Amino acid sequence: MTVFRYEIPVRYAECDSQGVVFNAHYVAYCDHAMDEFLRAAVGDHSDFELMVKSASLTWHAPLRYREVATIGCSVTRWGTTSMDVQFVGFVADEARFDATLTYVAVTNDESGTVPRVIPSTVREAFASVMG
């Protein structure tokens, strides 16, 4: 499966006293990679917005200070208003973690933030970025 890839350097402040990335940052890395995936698909000026609904992560080996993690992203499920994105984080050829985040497409109206249907143009844009 072809995936979108994004590189993220591990910064000192993201590491714990053991010198490895603190666990909460792995999901933040995925969400950052997803933001870049979204921008690559629909551009900077789109009104299409996503919010994380759920996240699951499996840790295989630590990321360490100054390593550059490559995060691979691919859409694995499309719903009417949501999508599942699979992430694999690795350094060189070594998988360090994998995760699945479910995103919900949202819009703001008079009642607040509400789910919206994912347009076919957005689905096609993601497919074109994944190849």
Coordinates of all heavy atoms in Angstrom, one line a residue, residues 25-102:
H25 N 3.7 11.9 23.3 CA 4.1 12.6 22.0 C 4.0 11.7 20.8 O 3.9 12.2 19.7 CB 5.6 13.0 22.2 CG 5.8 14.1 23.2 ND1 5.3 15.4 23.0 CD2 6.4 14.2 24.4 CE1 5.6 16.2 24.0 NE2 6.2 15.5 24.9
Y26 N 3.9 10.4 20.9 CA 3.7 9.5 19.8 C 2.4 9.9 19.1 O 2.3 10.0 17.8 CB 3.7 8.1 20.2 CG 5.1 7.6 20.6 CD1 5.5 7.7 21.9 CD2 6.0 7.1 19.7 CE1 6.8 7.3 22.3 CE2 7.3 6.7 20.1 CZ 7.7 6.8 21.4 OH 8.9 6.4 21.8
V27 N 1.3 10.1 19.8 CA 0.0 10.4 19.2 C 0.1 11.8 18.6 O -0.4 12.1 17.6 CB -1.1 10.3 20.2 CG1 -2.4 10.8 19.6 CG2 -1.3 8.8 20.6
A28 N 0.8 12.7 19.3 CA 1.0 14.1 18.8 C 1.8 14.1 17.5 O 1.4 14.8 16.5 CB 1.7 15.0 19.8
Y29 N 2.8 13.2 17.4 CA 3.5 13.0 16.1 C 2.6 12.6 15.0 O 2.6 13.1 13.9 CB 4.6 12.0 16.2 CG 5.8 12.4 17.1 CD1 6.7 11.5 17.5 CD2 6.1 13.8 17.4 CE1 7.8 11.8 18.3 CE2 7.2 14.1 18.2 CZ 8.0 13.2 18.6 OH 9.1 13.5 19.4
C30 N 1.7 11.6 15.3 CA 0.7 11.1 14.3 C -0.2 12.3 13.9 O -0.4 12.4 12.6 CB -0.1 10.0 14.9 SG 0.8 8.5 15.1
D31 N -0.7 13.0 14.8 CA -1.6 14.1 14.5 C -0.9 15.2 13.6 O -1.5 15.8 12.7 CB -2.3 14.7 15.7 CG -3.6 15.4 15.5 OD1 -4.3 15.0 14.6 OD2 -3.8 16.4 16.1
H32 N 0.3 15.5 14.0 CA 1.1 16.4 13.2 C 1.3 15.9 11.7 O 1.1 16.6 10.8 CB 2.5 16.7 13.8 CG 3.3 17.7 13.2 ND1 3.8 18.8 13.8 CD2 3.7 17.9 11.9 CE1 4.4 19.6 13.0 NE2 4.4 19.0 11.8
A33 N 1.6 14.6 11.6 CA 1.8 14.0 10.3 C 0.5 14.1 9.5 O 0.4 14.3 8.3 CB 2.3 12.6 10.4
M34 N -0.6 13.9 10.2 CA -2.0 13.9 9.6 C -2.3 15.3 9.1 O -2.8 15.5 8.0 CB -3.0 13.5 10.6 CG -4.4 13.5 10.0 SD -4.5 12.4 8.6 CE -6.0 12.9 7.8
D35 N -1.9 16.3 9.8 CA -2.1 17.7 9.4 C -1.3 17.9 8.1 O -1.9 18.5 7.1 CB -1.6 18.7 10.4 CG -1.8 20.1 10.0 OD1 -3.0 20.5 9.7 OD2 -0.8 20.9 10.0
E36 N -0.1 17.4 8.0 CA 0.7 17.6 6.7 C 0.0 16.8 5.6 O 0.0 17.2 4.4 CB 2.1 17.2 6.9 CG 2.8 18.1 7.9 CD 2.9 19.5 7.5 OE1 2.9 19.8 6.2 OE2 2.9 20.4 8.4
F37 N -0.5 15.6 5.9 CA -1.2 14.7 4.9 C -2.4 15.5 4.4 O -2.7 15.5 3.2 CB -1.6 13.4 5.6 CG -2.1 12.3 4.8 CD1 -2.0 12.3 3.4 CD2 -2.8 11.3 5.5 CE1 -2.6 11.2 2.7 CE2 -3.3 10.2 4.8 CZ -3.2 10.2 3.4
L38 N -3.2 16.1 5.3 CA -4.4 16.8 4.9 C -4.0 18.0 4.1 O -4.6 18.2 3.0 CB -5.1 17.3 6.2 CG -6.3 18.2 6.0 CD1 -7.4 17.5 5.3 CD2 -6.8 18.7 7.4
R39 N -2.9 18.7 4.4 CA -2.5 19.9 3.6 C -2.1 19.5 2.2 O -2.3 20.2 1.3 CB -1.4 20.7 4.3 CG -2.0 21.5 5.5 CD -1.1 21.7 6.6 NE 0.1 22.4 6.8 CZ 0.4 23.7 6.7 NH1 -0.5 24.5 6.2 NH2 1.5 24.2 7.1
A40 N -1.4 18.3 2.2 CA -0.9 17.8 0.9 C -2.1 17.4 0.0 O -2.1 17.6 -1.2 CB 0.0 16.6 1.0
A41 N -3.2 16.9 0.6 CA -4.4 16.5 -0.1 C -5.3 17.6 -0.5 O -5.7 17.7 -1.7 CB -5.2 15.5 0.7
V42 N -5.6 18.5 0.4 CA -6.6 19.6 0.1 C -6.1 21.0 0.1 O -6.8 21.9 -0.2 CB -7.9 19.4 1.1 CG1 -8.5 18.1 0.9 CG2 -7.5 19.7 2.5
G43 N -4.8 21.2 0.5 CA -4.3 22.5 0.5 C -4.4 23.3 1.8 O -5.2 22.9 2.7
D44 N -3.7 24.4 1.8 CA -3.7 25.2 3.0 C -5.0 26.0 3.2 O -5.3 26.5 4.3 CB -2.6 26.2 3.0 CG -1.2 25.6 3.3 OD1 -1.2 24.5 4.0 OD2 -0.2 26.1 2.8
H45 N -5.7 26.3 2.2 CA -6.9 27.2 2.2 C -8.2 26.5 2.2 O -9.2 27.2 2.0 CB -6.7 28.3 1.1 CG -5.4 29.0 1.1 ND1 -5.1 29.9 2.1 CD2 -4.4 28.9 0.3 CE1 -3.9 30.3 1.9 NE2 -3.4 29.8 0.8
S46 N -8.2 25.2 2.4 CA -9.5 24.5 2.4 C -10.2 24.8 3.7 O -9.7 25.1 4.8 CB -9.1 23.0 2.3 OG -10.3 22.3 2.5
D47 N -11.5 24.6 3.7 CA -12.4 24.8 4.9 C -12.7 23.4 5.5 O -13.4 23.3 6.4 CB -13.7 25.5 4.6 CG -14.6 24.7 3.7 OD1 -14.2 23.7 3.1 OD2 -15.8 25.1 3.5
F48 N -12.0 22.3 4.9 CA -12.2 21.0 5.4 C -11.4 20.8 6.7 O -10.2 21.0 6.7 CB -11.8 20.0 4.4 CG -12.1 18.5 4.8 CD1 -13.4 18.1 4.8 CD2 -11.1 17.7 5.2 CE1 -13.7 16.8 5.2 CE2 -11.3 16.4 5.6 CZ -12.6 15.9 5.6
E49 N -12.1 20.4 7.8 CA -11.4 20.3 9.1 C -11.7 18.9 9.7 O -12.8 18.3 9.5 CB -11.8 21.4 10.1 CG -11.4 22.7 9.7 CD -11.8 23.8 10.7 OE1 -11.6 23.5 11.9 OE2 -12.3 24.8 10.3
L50 N -10.7 18.4 10.4 CA -10.8 17.1 11.1 C -10.6 17.2 12.6 O -9.7 18.1 13.0 CB -9.8 16.1 10.5 CG -10.0 15.7 9.0 CD1 -8.8 15.0 8.5 CD2 -11.3 14.9 8.9
M51 N -11.2 16.4 13.4 CA -10.9 16.3 14.8 C -10.7 14.8 15.1 O -11.3 13.9 14.6 CB -12.1 16.8 15.6 CG -12.3 18.3 15.5 SD -13.7 18.9 16.5 CE -12.9 18.8 18.1
V52 N -9.8 14.5 16.1 CA -9.5 13.1 16.5 C -10.7 12.7 17.4 O -11.1 13.3 18.3 CB -8.2 13.0 17.3 CG1 -8.0 11.6 17.9 CG2 -7.0 13.4 16.4
K53 N -11.2 11.5 17.0 CA -12.3 10.9 17.8 C -11.7 9.8 18.7 O -12.1 9.7 19.9 CB -13.4 10.3 16.9 CG -14.5 9.6 17.7 CD -15.5 9.1 16.8 CE -16.6 8.4 17.6 NZ -17.7 7.9 16.8
S54 N -10.8 9.0 18.2 CA -10.2 8.0 19.0 C -8.8 7.7 18.5 O -8.5 8.0 17.3 CB -11.0 6.7 19.0 OG -11.0 6.1 17.7
A55 N -8.0 7.1 19.4 CA -6.6 6.8 19.0 C -6.2 5.5 19.7 O -6.5 5.3 20.9 CB -5.6 7.9 19.4
S56 N -5.4 4.7 19.0 CA -4.8 3.5 19.6 C -3.4 3.4 19.1 O -3.1 3.7 17.9 CB -5.6 2.2 19.3 OG -5.5 1.9 18.0
L57 N -2.5 3.0 20.0 CA -1.1 3.0 19.6 C -0.4 1.8 20.2 O -0.7 1.4 21.3 CB -0.4 4.3 20.2 CG 1.1 4.4 19.9 CD1 1.3 5.8 19.3 CD2 1.9 4.2 21.1
T58 N 0.5 1.2 19.4 CA 1.3 0.0 19.8 C 2.7 0.5 19.7 O 3.2 0.9 18.6 CB 1.0 -1.2 19.0 OG1 -0.4 -1.5 19.1 CG2 1.8 -2.4 19.5
W59 N 3.4 0.4 20.8 CA 4.8 0.8 20.9 C 5.7 -0.4 20.6 O 5.5 -1.5 21.2 CB 5.1 1.4 22.2 CG 6.4 2.0 22.5 CD1 6.8 3.3 22.2 CD2 7.5 1.3 23.1 NE1 8.1 3.4 22.7 CE2 8.5 2.3 23.2 CE3 7.7 0.1 23.6 CZ2 9.8 2.0 23.8 CZ3 8.9 -0.2 24.2 CH2 10.0 0.7 24.3
H60 N 6.7 -0.3 19.8 CA 7.7 -1.4 19.5 C 9.1 -1.1 20.1 O 9.7 -2.0 20.6 CB 7.7 -1.7 18.0 CG 6.4 -1.9 17.4 ND1 5.6 -3.0 17.7 CD2 5.7 -1.2 16.5 CE1 4.5 -3.0 17.0 NE2 4.5 -1.9 16.2
A61 N 9.5 0.1 19.9 CA 10.9 0.5 20.4 C 10.9 2.0 20.5 O 10.1 2.7 19.9 CB 11.9 0.0 19.4
P62 N 11.7 2.5 21.4 CA 11.7 3.9 21.6 C 12.2 4.8 20.5 O 13.1 4.4 19.7 CB 12.6 4.1 22.9 CG 13.5 3.0 22.8 CD 12.8 1.8 22.2
L63 N 11.7 6.0 20.4 CA 12.3 7.1 19.6 C 13.2 7.8 20.6 O 12.8 8.0 21.8 CB 11.3 8.0 19.0 CG 10.4 7.4 17.9 CD1 9.3 8.4 17.6 CD2 11.3 7.1 16.7
R64 N 14.4 8.3 20.2 CA 15.3 8.9 21.0 C 15.7 10.3 20.5 O 15.5 10.6 19.3 CB 16.6 8.1 21.2 CG 16.3 6.8 21.8 CD 17.6 6.0 22.0 NE 17.3 4.7 22.6 CZ 17.1 4.5 23.9 NH1 17.2 5.5 24.8 NH2 16.9 3.3 24.4
Y65 N 16.2 11.2 21.4 CA 16.5 12.5 21.1 C 17.4 12.5 19.8 O 18.4 11.8 19.7 CB 17.3 13.1 22.3 CG 17.9 14.5 22.0 CD1 17.1 15.5 21.6 CD2 19.2 14.8 22.3 CE1 17.6 16.8 21.4 CE2 19.7 16.0 22.1 CZ 18.9 17.0 21.7 OH 19.5 18.3 21.5
R66 N 17.1 13.5 18.9 CA 17.8 13.8 17.7 C 17.6 12.7 16.6 O 18.1 12.9 15.5 CB 19.3 14.0 17.9 CG 19.6 15.2 18.7 CD 21.0 15.7 18.5 NE 21.2 16.9 19.3 CZ 22.0 17.8 19.0 NH1 22.9 17.6 18.0 NH2 22.1 18.9 19.7
E67 N 16.8 11.7 16.8 CA 16.5 10.8 15.7 C 15.4 11.5 14.9 O 14.7 12.4 15.4 CB 15.9 9.5 16.2 CG 17.0 8.6 16.9 CD 16.4 7.2 17.3 OE1 15.3 7.2 17.8 OE2 17.1 6.2 17.1
V68 N 15.3 11.1 13.6 CA 14.3 11.6 12.8 C 13.4 10.5 12.5 O 13.7 9.5 11.9 CB 14.9 12.2 11.5 CG1 13.8 12.7 10.5 CG2 15.8 13.4 11.8
A69 N 12.1 10.6 12.9 CA 11.1 9.6 12.7 C 10.4 9.9 11.4 O 10.0 11.0 11.1 CB 10.1 9.6 13.9
T70 N 10.3 8.9 10.6 CA 9.4 8.9 9.4 C 8.1 8.4 9.8 O 8.0 7.2 10.3 CB 10.0 8.2 8.2 OG1 11.3 8.7 7.9 CG2 9.2 8.3 7.0
I71 N 7.0 9.1 9.5 CA 5.7 8.7 9.9 C 5.0 8.4 8.5 O 4.8 9.3 7.7 CB 4.9 9.7 10.7 CG1 5.7 10.3 11.8 CG2 3.5 9.2 11.1 CD1 6.0 9.3 12.9
G72 N 4.6 7.2 8.3 CA 3.8 6.8 7.1 C 2.3 6.9 7.5 O 1.9 6.4 8.6
C73 N 1.5 7.4 6.6 CA 0.1 7.6 6.9 C -0.7 7.0 5.7 O -0.4 7.3 4.5 CB -0.3 9.1 7.0 SG 0.7 10.1 7.9
S74 N -1.8 6.3 6.0 CA -2.7 5.9 4.9 C -4.1 5.8 5.5 O -4.3 5.4 6.6 CB -2.2 4.5 4.3 OG -2.2 3.5 5.3
V75 N -5.1 6.1 4.7 CA -6.5 6.0 5.0 C -6.8 4.5 4.9 O -6.7 4.0 3.8 CB -7.4 6.9 4.2 CG1 -8.8 6.7 4.6 CG2 -6.9 8.4 4.4
T76 N -7.3 3.9 5.9 CA -7.7 2.5 5.9 C -9.2 2.3 5.9 O -9.7 1.2 5.6 CB -7.0 1.7 7.0 OG1 -7.4 2.3 8.3 CG2 -5.5 1.7 6.8
R77 N -10.0 3.3 6.3 CA -11.4 3.2 6.3 C -12.1 4.5 6.1 O -11.6 5.5 6.7 CB -11.9 2.6 7.7 CG -13.4 2.4 7.7 CD -14.0 2.2 9.1 NE -13.8 3.4 10.0 CZ -14.6 4.5 10.0 NH1 -15.7 4.5 9.2 NH2 -14.3 5.5 10.8
W78 N -13.1 4.5 5.2 CA -13.9 5.7 5.0 C -15.3 5.5 5.6 O -15.9 4.5 5.2 CB -14.0 6.0 3.5 CG -12.8 6.6 2.9 CD1 -11.9 5.9 2.1 CD2 -12.2 7.9 3.0 NE1 -10.9 6.7 1.7 CE2 -11.1 7.9 2.3 CE3 -12.6 9.0 3.7 CZ2 -10.3 9.1 2.2 CZ3 -11.9 10.2 3.6 CH2 -10.7 10.2 2.9
G79 N -15.8 6.4 6.4 CA -17.2 6.4 6.8 C -17.9 7.6 6.2 O -17.3 8.3 5.3
T80 N -19.1 7.8 6.5 CA -19.8 9.0 6.0 C -19.2 10.3 6.5 O -18.9 11.2 5.7 CB -21.3 8.9 6.4 OG1 -21.8 7.7 5.9 CG2 -22.1 10.1 5.8
T81 N -18.9 10.3 7.8 CA -18.3 11.6 8.4 C -17.0 11.3 9.0 O -16.4 12.3 9.5 CB -19.3 12.2 9.5 OG1 -19.4 11.2 10.5 CG2 -20.6 12.5 8.9
S82 N -16.5 10.1 9.0 CA -15.2 9.8 9.6 C -14.3 9.0 8.7 O -14.7 8.4 7.7 CB -15.5 9.0 10.9 OG -16.0 7.8 10.6
M83 N -13.1 8.9 9.2 CA -12.1 8.1 8.5 C -11.0 7.5 9.5 O -10.7 8.2 10.5 CB -11.4 8.9 7.4 CG -10.7 10.1 7.9 SD -10.3 11.3 6.7 CE -8.6 10.9 6.3
D84 N -10.5 6.3 9.2 CA -9.5 5.8 10.0 C -8.2 6.0 9.3 O -8.1 5.7 8.1 CB -9.6 4.3 10.3 CG -10.8 4.0 11.2 OD1 -11.3 4.9 11.9 OD2 -11.2 2.8 11.3
V85 N -7.1 6.4 10.0 CA -5.8 6.6 9.4 C -4.8 5.7 10.1 O -4.8 5.8 11.4 CB -5.4 8.1 9.4 CG1 -4.0 8.2 8.7 CG2 -6.4 8.9 8.7
Q86 N -4.1 4.9 9.4 CA -3.1 4.0 10.0 C -1.7 4.8 9.9 O -1.4 5.3 8.8 CB -3.0 2.7 9.2 CG -1.9 1.8 9.6 CD -2.1 1.2 11.0 OE1 -3.2 0.8 11.3 NE2 -1.1 1.1 11.8
F87 N -1.0 4.8 11.0 CA 0.3 5.4 11.0 C 1.4 4.3 11.4 O 1.1 3.5 12.2 CB 0.4 6.5 12.1 CG -0.6 7.6 11.9 CD1 -1.9 7.5 12.4 CD2 -0.2 8.7 11.2 CE1 -2.8 8.5 12.2 CE2 -1.1 9.8 11.0 CZ -2.4 9.7 11.5
V88 N 2.5 4.4 10.8 CA 3.7 3.6 11.1 C 4.8 4.6 11.3 O 5.2 5.3 10.4 CB 4.0 2.5 10.1 CG1 5.2 1.8 10.5 CG2 2.8 1.6 9.9
G89 N 5.4 4.6 12.5 CA 6.6 5.4 12.8 C 7.8 4.5 12.8 O 7.9 3.5 13.4
F90 N 8.8 5.0 12.0 CA 10.1 4.2 11.9 C 11.3 5.1 11.8 O 11.2 6.3 11.5 CB 10.0 3.2 10.8 CG 9.6 3.7 9.5 CD1 10.6 4.1 8.6 CD2 8.3 3.9 9.1 CE1 10.3 4.6 7.3 CE2 8.0 4.4 7.8 CZ 9.0 4.7 7.0
V91 N 12.4 4.6 12.1 CA 13.7 5.2 11.9 C 14.5 4.2 11.1 O 14.7 3.1 11.5 CB 14.4 5.5 13.3 CG1 15.8 6.1 13.0 CG2 13.6 6.5 14.1
A92 N 15.0 4.7 10.0 CA 15.7 3.8 9.0 C 14.7 2.7 8.6 O 13.6 3.1 8.2 CB 17.0 3.3 9.5
D93 N 15.0 1.5 8.8 CA 14.1 0.4 8.4 C 13.4 -0.2 9.7 O 12.7 -1.2 9.6 CB 14.8 -0.7 7.6 CG 15.2 -0.2 6.3 OD1 14.5 0.7 5.7 OD2 16.2 -0.7 5.7
E94 N 13.6 0.4 10.8 CA 13.1 -0.2 12.1 C 11.8 0.5 12.5 O 11.8 1.7 12.8 CB 14.1 0.0 13.2 CG 13.7 -0.7 14.5 CD 14.7 -0.4 15.6 OE1 15.7 0.3 15.5 OE2 14.4 -0.9 16.7
A95 N 10.7 -0.3 12.6 CA 9.5 0.2 13.0 C 9.5 0.4 14.5 O 10.0 -0.4 15.3 CB 8.4 -0.9 12.7
R96 N 9.1 1.6 14.9 CA 9.2 2.0 16.3 C 7.8 2.0 17.0 O 7.6 1.7 18.2 CB 9.8 3.4 16.5 CG 11.2 3.5 16.0 CD 12.2 2.6 16.7 NE 13.5 2.8 16.1 CZ 14.4 3.6 16.6 NH1 14.2 4.5 17.5 NH2 15.6 3.7 16.0
F97 N 6.7 2.3 16.2 CA 5.3 2.2 16.7 C 4.4 2.2 15.5 O 4.8 2.5 14.4 CB 5.0 3.4 17.6 CG 5.0 4.8 16.9 CD1 3.8 5.2 16.4 CD2 6.1 5.5 16.7 CE1 3.7 6.4 15.7 CE2 6.0 6.7 16.1 CZ 4.8 7.2 15.6
D98 N 3.2 1.8 15.8 CA 2.1 2.0 14.9 C 0.9 2.4 15.6 O 0.7 2.2 16.8 CB 1.8 0.7 14.0 CG 1.5 -0.5 14.8 OD1 0.4 -0.6 15.3 OD2 2.4 -1.4 15.0
A99 N 0.0 3.1 14.9 CA -1.2 3.7 15.5 C -2.3 3.8 14.5 O -2.1 3.8 13.3 CB -0.9 5.1 16.1
T100 N -3.5 3.8 15.1 CA -4.7 4.1 14.3 C -5.4 5.2 14.9 O -5.7 5.2 16.1 CB -5.6 2.9 14.1 OG1 -4.9 1.8 13.5 CG2 -6.8 3.2 13.3
L101 N -5.7 6.3 14.2 CA -6.5 7.4 14.7 C -7.8 7.5 13.8 O -7.7 7.4 12.6 CB -5.7 8.7 14.6 CG -4.8 9.0 15.8 CD1 -3.6 8.1 15.8 CD2 -4.4 10.5 15.8
T102 N -8.9 7.7 14.5 CA -10.1 7.9 13.8 C -10.4 9.4 13.8 O -10.4 10.0 14.9 CB -11.3 7.2 14.5 OG1 -11.0 5.8 14.4 CG2 -12.6 7.4 13.8

